[in-house]
Amino acid sequence: MRDAYNLELDNLRAQLGDMVQLVAEAMELATRSLLHQDLETAEQVISDDVKVDDARSAAEEKAYGLLALQAPVATDLRIVVAALHAAESIERMGDLALHVAKAARRRHPEPVLPPDVRPAFERLGDVDVRLARKLERVVRGDDAEAAKSLEDDDDEVDEIHRNLFTVIMDSDWQHGVSPAVDLTLLSRFYERYADHAVSVARRMLFVVTGRMPNHSSSDV
Amino acid sequence: MRDAYNLELDNLRAQLGDMVQLVAEAMELATRSLLHQDLETAEQVISDDVKVDDARSAAEEKAYGLLALQAPVATDLRIVVAALHAAESIERMGDLALHVAKAARRRHPEPVLPPDVRPAFERLGDVDVRLARKLERVVRGDDAEAAKSLEDDDDEVDEIHRNLFTVIMDSDWQHGVSPAVDLTLLSRFYERYADHAVSVARRMLFVVTGRMPNHSSSDV
């Protein structure tokens, strides 16, 4: 009985790991579509989002099954609830990648990004995808250490996000209001994506170790 | 046994209702601080946010207690899980009100809003607070009908949000890049607040009636 339960729990972790893999790939492709005005890639991210939604429903049903049939208590209960929260946050990460792809599609064939901010978005994309890859390992239970460096990655995203605001609001900004508005939202999408990744990792670790990593994540 | 369980479930709903009341008030005050450069009110929203965080922890603990001690199944189980998701979303609504208050404080004593967009933010604040008041009734189980009109309110928020972008990106925009960036984020905070309210209401109703309201909410 106990072994069957743990097997089911492993399956749930694997499902969530697959889901993180999907949203990591979504953000990687969305960033590519943004940097290269690549409409086909943008469309692919947009049409693939339904896979993330389906994966979330499947993970939720698995979690309900565990709760209803096995009535876990203590740490086991908290792991299942953390998985439910994780499924919601990971779906949200997919939505944020989708928003990036939609922005690329909306301006196509015009570039969304003025040349001077391209490197910043290249870095945002890199760090977000790196974060998601680490989160995948944390979720699968393969690498608890990854959670610590995940917080550092999140700090890096916050710093790029803040620097972008400085650039946009500087009197040297040559590109006018409309790109400024696009970049403000886009930068926020990357920043929220990273926040969700950290929050899932913290919650998963907390239920396993009983301790939050010694680091607080900021918002905005 | 069964009655004690329902009593506990009522308590959980009441806790969530109180939490929604807190974040409704937070958005009301945050909007006031934004419209009137009212630093004292902004500070109050910022310092009161901890009450929302505490209320969320308390609601989560109550939900864990119900899951661990009563091992609910079927609809009862889904109500408790919906409550857990609700606690997270309502806390997020509080964070979004907090962001509005922080924007008001950051620019103080300068106004954040150019005069021509003040009416739009007055409406955003009004509709968000109205949404939250209706959500409170839905959560307390007092008014399932409120959920339908809540979707209409969300549409209204989306429309104000979209109109604001048209105004900001118009060639007549006189206020430069920096206010445009502020308004873009602020408008998004109001829009996300409404989205969270609708998503909590939909989930609570779904678990009770087994049907989603016949309306899909948009994002961005």
Side-chain angles (χ1 to χ4, degrees):
Chain A
M1 179 69 175
R2 175 71 196 155
D3 276 358
Y5 178 79
N6 277 321
L7 206 64
E8 285 300 292
L9 201 58
D10 285 348
N11 283 341
L12 177 55
R13 294 188 90 113
Q15 274 182 293
L16 290 176
D18 292 348
M19 211 179 149
V20 177
Q21 203 176 355
L22 283 178
V23 302
E25 197 184 356
M27 194 48 119
E28 187 163 19
L29 294 178
T31 304
R32 190 184 306 163
S33 74
L34 184 71
L35 290 170
H36 304 288
Q37 295 92 260
D38 179 345
L39 184 61
E40 200 177 322
T41 301
E43 296 284 9
Q44 185 188 336
V45 174
I46 293 163
S47 62
D48 279 356
D49 185 56
V50 67
K51 292 184 194 166
V52 180
D53 299 343
D54 290 347
R56 184 244 175 106
S57 301
E60 284 207 344
E61 287 312 310
K62 170 80 78 185
Y64 280 123
L66 279 166
L67 290 175
L69 298 175
Q70 316 281 356
V73 294
T75 301
D76 285 342
L77 171 60
R78 285 172 194 260
I79 290 174
V80 177
V81 173
L84 280 164
H85 283 296
E88 181 156 35
S89 288
I90 300 165
E91 187 193 2
R92 187 74 202 135
M93 290 167 72
D95 288 342
L96 292 161
L98 176 71
H99 292 344
V100 171
K102 282 187 174 172
R105 182 173 71 176
R106 195 179 310 123
R107 300 285 173 231
H108 186 83
E110 295 300 315
V112 183
L113 306 176
D116 43 345
V117 299
R118 281 177 53 96
F121 279 90
E122 221 163 337
R123 277 180 64 210
L124 282 173
D126 282 349
V127 186
D128 267 14
V129 173
R130 192 167 74 216
L131 264 162
R133 302 279 180 213
K134 286 180 188 170
L135 174 62
E136 185 189 337
R137 296 203 296 276
V138 173
V139 165
R140 291 190 195 276
D142 294 343
D143 188 0
E145 284 307 300
K148 179 69 192 79
S149 67
L150 216 126
E151 306 260 356
D152 295 333
D153 290 337
D154 185 44
D155 289 343
E156 191 177 341
V157 171
D158 289 343
E159 198 198 319
I160 306 169
H161 182 59
R162 275 194 304 271
N163 284 346
L164 262 169
F165 279 106
T166 313
V167 170
I168 294 171
M169 293 195 169
D170 193 278
S171 54
D172 284 347
W173 179 256
Q174 306 280 336
H175 311 288
V177 170
S178 182
V181 167
D182 279 346
L183 302 190
T184 299
L185 286 176
L186 280 167
S187 178
R188 176 138 182 105
F189 297 151
Y190 283 95
E191 188 253 347
R192 291 296 300 152
Y193 183 100
D195 280 348
H196 280 289
V198 171
S199 119
V200 172
R202 285 164 66 87
R203 205 183 261 272
M204 297 296 273
L205 274 189
F206 177 66
V207 293
V208 174
T209 65
R211 288 190 305 118
M212 286 287 184
N214 185 20
H215 192 111
S216 84
S217 154
S218 69
D219 187 10
V220 170
Chain B
M1 181 66 178
R2 175 71 195 156
D3 276 358
Y5 177 79
N6 276 320
L7 206 64
E8 285 299 293
L9 201 58
D10 285 347
N11 283 341
L12 177 55
R13 292 189 91 112
Q15 275 182 293
L16 291 176
D18 292 348
M19 209 177 150
V20 178
Q21 204 176 354
L22 283 178
V23 303
E25 197 184 355
M27 194 46 119
E28 188 163 19
L29 294 177
T31 304
R32 190 184 305 161
S33 74
L34 184 71
L35 291 169
H36 305 288
Q37 294 92 260
D38 179 345
L39 184 61
E40 201 177 321
T41 301
E43 295 284 8
Q44 185 188 334
V45 173
I46 293 163
S47 62
D48 279 357
D49 185 56
V50 68
K51 291 184 194 167
V52 179
D53 299 342
D54 290 347
R56 184 247 174 105
S57 301
E60 284 208 343
E61 287 311 310
K62 170 79 79 185
Y64 279 123
L66 278 165
L67 290 175
L69 297 175
Q70 315 281 356
V73 294
T75 302
D76 285 342
L77 171 61
R78 283 171 195 260
I79 290 175
V80 178
V81 172
L84 280 164
H85 283 296
E88 180 156 35
S89 288
I90 300 165
E91 186 192 3
R92 187 75 204 137
M93 290 167 72
D95 288 341
L96 292 161
L98 176 70
H99 293 342
V100 171
K102 282 187 174 172
R105 181 172 74 174
R106 196 178 310 125
R107 300 284 174 231
H108 186 83
E110 295 299 316
V112 183
L113 306 176
D116 42 346
V117 299
R118 280 178 52 96
F121 279 90
E122 224 164 336
R123 279 179 65 209
L124 282 173
D126 281 350
V127 185
D128 267 12
V129 173
R130 191 166 77 216
L131 264 163
R133 303 278 181 214
K134 286 180 188 169
L135 174 62
E136 186 190 336
R137 296 202 298 277
V138 173
V139 165
R140 292 190 195 276
D142 294 343
D143 188 0
E145 283 307 299
K148 179 66 190 81
S149 67
L150 216 127
E151 306 259 355
D152 295 334
D153 290 337
D154 185 43
D155 289 343
E156 191 177 342
V157 170
D158 289 343
E159 198 198 320
I160 306 169
H161 182 60
R162 274 193 305 270
N163 283 347
L164 262 169
F165 279 105
T166 314
V167 171
I168 294 171
M169 292 194 170
D170 193 277
S171 54
D172 284 349
W173 179 256
Q174 305 280 336
H175 311 288
V177 169
S178 182
V181 167
D182 278 346
L183 303 190
T184 299
L185 285 176
L186 280 167
S187 178
R188 175 136 182 109
F189 297 152
Y190 283 94
E191 187 253 344
R192 291 296 299 150
Y193 183 100
D195 281 348
H196 280 289
V198 171
S199 116
V200 172
R202 285 165 66 88
R203 205 184 261 272
M204 297 297 272
L205 274 189
F206 177 67
V207 293
V208 174
T209 65
R211 289 191 303 117
M212 287 287 183
N214 186 18
H215 192 108
S216 85
S217 153
S218 70
D219 186 11
V220 169

